[in-house]
Amino acid sequence: MRRWHQILIAFFFVFLIVVISGLLLNGPTHTENVQTLQQNTPSKPSITPSNRNAESDPSNVTEPRSDSQVAKMNWYQNQVVVLMYHHVSPTGDKEYTLTPELFSEHMKFLHDNDLHPISLTEFLQFVNTGVLSTNNAVLITFDDGYESFYKEAYPILKEFNFPSVNFVIASRLRDSVERKRPNMIPPLTTEEVQEMIGSGLVEVGSHTYSLHDHIEKNDWGELEPGTAPVYMEDIKHVEDDDTYRNRLYVDFTMSRVALSDLVHKPIVSLSLPHGFTNQEVLDTAKDAGYHYVFNSRRGVVKPGVKPYDIPRFGVGSDYVDVDKLRQIFVENNSGH
C-alpha cells in the first residue's frame, strides 16, 4: 500500500513538471504572435483631398492644409465658377491688387467650404464635353504674368494643393535686370514659369504678346486697350480693318508660339486684356490658333458655353473680402 502511495506522489510531480514546462515554452511564442499580429494589422489610412490635376507629378504634390474642418456642401453641379486675379502684394492699385493675407483667406474659404479648384486642362474638357468629374468646381485664373504670382500667390496655392492658370503677357517675360524698371510691376522670369509648370499645379495661357497697354483710339486722346482699333498718328486716322486684323494676328501668333516653346505644349487659350472684345478680335484669335477666349464678363460657365466667350468673376481686389466672395457662390447655389 505504501508503495502505491509513493507511485501516485511521483506521478503527480511528473505531471506538474510537464505542465510548468509547457507554460514556459509557450509563453514567448504567444508574445511573439501578439507582436506579429500588431505589426501586420494595417493602420487606418489618412484621408486627404486628391489632386485633380491629371498632369501633376505625385512627388511634387504638397500636402493640403487640414487645420479646419471641411463642411461637405453641394453648392452646384456641372458648372464652373471662374475666378480672376491679377496682382498679389501688400501695396498696389487697389482695383487690381489684393494682399497676400486676403488671398490666403480666399483660398481658405474655398478649402473649408468644399469648393474644388480644377486645372485648366480639366476645365477645357468641360467646355468641350459639358461633363465634369467633380461638383462645386472652381477655376483660379491670373492675368498679366506678374512675379508676385510666383512669390506671393503660388506658395499659398501649393499649401492648399490648388491648381491654377496664369495668362501671361509674353513680351514681358524677362530673365535680366531690365524687367525691373521704375513704376513697373516686375513680370515673371522664364525660369519661374518653368518651375511652376514642373510642379503640375500651374498652367499658362496667353494675354497677348504686347497689346495689354492702353493706346489712343482717336485724335482726342481717348484710350482703349491695344486689342482695339488704334489711332495712326502718321495718317491722322484710325487704322483700317485690314491693318487692324493684321496687327492682331501678328501679336496673337507671336504670343502663342513663344509660350508654346516655353512650356513645351500647345497654348490654345487667350485672355483678353481689360476684357475688350469684338468680332474682329474673336475671328483673329481663331485664325491665330486659339480655341478658347476668356473675357471679364461676370457669369457662371455652364454646359454649352461658347468657347470664345468664357466669363469670369473679377475678385482680385482688396474690396472683395471673404463675404463678397461667398456671395458669388450663394447666388449660384443650385438650391438658391
Side-chain angles (χ1 to χ4, degrees):
M1 184 69 178
R2 180 178 178 83
R3 180 178 177 81
W4 281 105
H5 181 70
Q6 292 173 338
I7 292 173
L8 289 173
I9 292 173
F11 178 78
F12 174 77
F13 278 107
V14 170
F15 175 77
L16 186 61
I17 291 171
V18 170
V19 171
I20 293 173
S21 299
L23 289 174
L24 292 174
L25 291 172
N26 291 330
T29 303
H30 174 72
T31 302
E32 291 171 359
N33 288 338
V34 172
Q35 293 174 343
T36 301
L37 180 62
Q38 291 173 339
Q39 292 171 355
N40 291 334
T41 301
S43 59
K44 185 178 180 180
S46 60
I47 301 175
T48 57
S50 62
N51 175 20
R52 285 173 295 278
N53 184 355
E55 296 183 358
S56 292
D57 179 354
S59 63
N60 291 324
V61 172
T62 304
E63 193 72 15
R65 281 176 53 154
S66 58
D67 55 356
S68 58
Q69 185 65 37
V70 176
K72 297 298 181 183
M73 301 179 66
N74 185 23
W75 293 90
Y76 49 80
Q77 293 179 333
N78 216 37
Q79 62 185 36
V80 183
V81 170
V82 183
L83 303 179
M84 177 176 61
Y85 295 92
H86 292 81
H87 186 34
V88 179
S89 172
T91 60
D93 180 356
K94 299 303 180 183
E95 183 70 22
Y96 298 105
T97 304
L98 77 170
T99 64
E101 292 76 18
L102 182 54
F103 180 68
S104 182
E105 290 178 17
H106 280 200
M107 298 303 101
K108 187 174 187 299
F109 168 79
L110 299 181
H111 171 268
D112 291 353
N113 287 274
D114 199 31
L115 291 155
H116 302 154
I118 61 176
S119 68
L120 175 64
T121 297
E122 186 173 358
F123 174 79
L124 298 183
Q125 290 173 348
F126 168 67
V127 173
N128 291 335
T129 66
V131 177
L132 274 173
S133 62
T134 181
N135 59 353
N136 305 339
V138 179
L139 178 65
I140 301 171
T141 74
F142 278 76
D143 279 1
D144 301 334
Y146 293 134
E147 190 175 44
S148 65
F149 175 73
Y150 175 77
K151 291 187 173 180
E152 302 289 355
Y154 178 53
I156 295 170
L157 292 165
K158 283 200 300 183
E159 187 177 1
F160 288 98
N161 200 27
F162 285 170
S164 64
V165 55
N166 199 310
F167 294 99
V168 304
I169 303 168
S171 66
R172 294 185 182 179
L173 295 179
R174 292 286 189 275
D175 300 322
S176 61
V177 70
E178 71 173 16
R179 68 188 187 85
K180 295 186 177 182
R181 293 179 292 180
N183 303 318
M184 174 181 169
I185 301 173
L188 290 162
T189 68
T190 56
E191 285 84 357
E192 289 165 347
V193 171
Q194 290 170 335
E195 177 187 333
M196 292 187 292
I197 292 292
S199 75
L201 287 178
V202 175
E203 294 179 80
V204 164
S206 171
H207 201 40
T208 75
Y209 189 81
S210 60
L211 297 182
H212 185 271
D213 294 337
H214 285 90
I215 303 175
E216 291 184 3
K217 69 171 185 177
N218 56 34
D219 56 358
W220 292 96
E222 294 179 304
L223 301 178
E224 286 280 15
T227 46
V230 300
Y231 182 74
M232 309 292 290
E233 182 65 31
D234 55 343
I235 62 173
K236 306 298 182 182
H237 197 275
V238 176
E239 61 188 338
D240 60 38
D241 290 346
D242 288 342
T243 302
Y244 175 45
R245 292 193 187 95
N246 288 339
R247 181 171 60 84
L248 292 177
Y249 181 82
V250 170
D251 180 281
F252 291 172
T253 302
M254 287 176 62
S255 180
R256 182 182 57 79
V257 172
L259 294 176
S260 297
D261 289 344
L262 176 62
V263 302
H264 306 296
K265 63 178 293 186
I267 298 296
V268 295
S269 299
L270 171 70
S271 167
L272 296 174
H274 308 285
F276 180 88
T277 186
N278 58 35
Q279 195 59 50
E280 287 82 2
V281 168
L282 299 183
D283 289 344
T284 306
K286 184 175 182 179
D287 292 342
Y290 294 96
H291 301 162
Y292 312 92
V293 174
F294 292 74
N295 53 46
S296 302
R297 178 176 59 82
R298 291 171 64 89
V300 176
V301 179
K302 299 181 179 181
V305 64
K306 296 178 181 178
Y308 291 89
D309 185 26
I310 299 174
R312 297 184 289 175
F313 291 90
V315 294
S317 304
D318 260 358
Y319 59 77
V320 182
D321 58 16
V322 171
D323 287 339
K324 289 186 175 65
L325 180 65
R326 179 190 298 274
Q327 191 61 29
I328 293 173
F329 295 96
V330 170
E331 292 173 354
N332 293 285
N333 190 323
S334 57
H336 181 68

